[in-house]
Amino acid sequence: GTVTRPQLTKIAILMGELGFTDDQRDDKLNAVSRVVRRELSSSKDLSRNEASALIDTIERCDKDWDKLQMLLDAGDAPAGDQ
């Protein structure tokens, strides 16, 4: 299925907690794309499973950008089913 509105809201909140601002749309999309391992033109392109994996991954990193970067660099972020 496709991403739900509550998931999009949660992702927006989490991205803010990671330190992204509203004017950093491209940076946010690049980060999201790295986590789900595919290029996105909008967060609305996420599947429900990808959104869930993204939320879980950010929360697993305690909403800490440096920890998320290390997780991504180690290839340990889960790819959601499309």
Side-chain angles (χ1 to χ4, degrees):
T2 58
V3 64
T4 65
R5 180 160 301 283
Q7 285 177 313
L8 288 171
T9 300
K10 178 77 171 177
I11 290 166
I13 291 167
L14 290 172
M15 295 305 281
E17 290 176 356
L18 283 173
F20 289 98
T21 59
D22 289 341
D23 64 346
Q24 291 181 295
R25 181 181 185 275
D26 290 343
D27 293 334
K28 287 189 277 190
L29 273 176
N30 286 335
V32 169
S33 294
R34 283 190 67 198
V35 174
V36 300
R37 298 181 182 152
R38 73 178 179 100
E39 195 165 330
L40 301 167
S41 57
S42 169
S43 56
K44 293 178 183 173
D45 294 338
L46 289 165
S47 72
R48 184 176 296 184
N49 289 343
E50 286 172 331
S52 180
L54 173 65
I55 291 166
D56 290 346
T57 300
I58 294 171
E59 289 179 338
R60 191 171 69 166
C61 294
D62 301 319
K63 303 168 201 160
D64 182 305
W65 176 243
D66 291 331
K67 286 183 183 177
L68 181 59
Q69 287 276 80
M70 288 190 304
L71 192 70
L72 292 171
D73 291 344
D76 195 27
D81 297 326
Q82 296 180 7

